[in-house]
Amino acid sequence: MEQNELAKLYQAYGKGMILYAWSLTKQQSDAESLVSDAFYRLSLQEEAPRDIKFWLFRVIKNGFIDQQRRKKRWQFSLLNQEEKSIQQQPDERLIEQEQHQALYDSIEKLTPPYKEVLIFFYFLEWSIQEISNFLNLSNGQTRTILYRGRKKLKEDLSHD
């Protein structure tokens, strides 16, 4: 899309989109970030979506849901780590560190497509779509590589 078209769309829908995003996030900066992301995604489209207004609002809603999922995962993992560190004895922490090291070593042994997809998916928390776009693969190919990578990782870890 061209800059002129984006500017006109922002003039037409921007205030409503920020209000909607603010109703979801309750924070001005997060709302502006969601609206900005929606227009960025629109600028990447080769052809304009059929119902641009509804498409933009859907992108905002999906972006908000993704943010909440990331926050929830992050908070949950932080809480689990705090609980574990309080409850664990030094020998238990050592065993856990060795298990993490074994996992990292097993991932390093994998060939590039499996290794990359596993790192992107689990450590960088990229979506299947983001990985597919980055590696120029279809979503199905990416899912297959992820499945096979998990399988190879499981086999390698079960031998140890």
Side-chain angles (χ1 to χ4, degrees):
M1 282 200 118
E2 292 184 27
Q3 295 286 25
N4 294 341
E5 294 175 37
L6 289 174
K8 288 178 185 176
L9 289 171
Y10 186 79
Q11 289 286 337
Y13 306 127
K15 288 182 183 178
M17 291 172 63
I18 289 176
L19 181 64
Y20 176 66
W22 187 85
S23 72
L24 296 172
T25 63
K26 304 293 188 242
Q27 296 207 0
Q28 186 69 23
S29 62
D30 289 345
E32 290 170 353
S33 176
L34 286 172
V35 172
S36 175
D37 185 51
F39 277 101
Y40 173 71
R41 290 176 188 249
L42 180 61
S43 72
L44 295 177
Q45 299 293 315
E46 291 179 18
E47 294 182 17
R50 207 170 72 189
D51 294 321
I52 292 177
K53 178 181 178 181
F54 300 110
W55 185 89
L56 286 167
F57 279 84
R58 196 171 331 121
V59 169
I60 289 172
K61 182 178 180 183
N62 291 341
F64 172 72
I65 291 170
D66 289 344
Q67 278 181 350
Q68 295 305 306
R69 284 183 187 146
R70 285 187 194 112
K71 284 180 184 177
K72 187 185 249 184
R73 260 190 249 154
W74 202 218
Q75 289 172 348
F76 182 72
S77 65
L78 287 175
L79 287 173
N80 281 346
Q81 288 174 357
E82 288 175 12
E83 288 175 9
K84 284 181 183 179
S85 65
I86 291 170
Q87 295 172 353
Q88 284 183 331
Q89 299 297 322
D91 58 338
E92 291 174 339
R93 276 186 262 168
L94 181 63
I95 291 171
E96 187 174 311
Q97 288 174 351
E98 288 176 357
Q99 289 172 341
H100 287 305
Q101 189 61 46
L103 174 64
Y104 297 138
D105 292 342
S106 294
I107 290 173
E108 284 297 317
K109 292 178 191 175
L110 294 174
T111 56
Y114 303 113
K115 179 179 171 180
E116 284 179 326
V117 170
L118 286 169
I119 289 172
F120 289 148
F121 190 77
Y122 288 108
F123 295 101
L124 300 179
E125 296 181 356
W126 284 16
S127 68
I128 296 291
Q129 183 66 45
E130 290 171 322
I131 298 169
S132 298
N133 290 342
F134 183 74
L135 297 175
N136 294 324
L137 301 170
S138 70
N139 287 348
Q141 289 172 314
T142 304
R143 283 189 187 101
T144 301
I145 291 170
L146 182 62
Y147 170 77
R148 290 178 182 166
R150 285 181 190 141
K151 193 173 178 180
K152 288 180 181 218
L153 193 61
K154 184 178 178 182
E155 288 172 3
D156 190 44
L157 290 172
S158 66
H159 291 295
D160 293 341

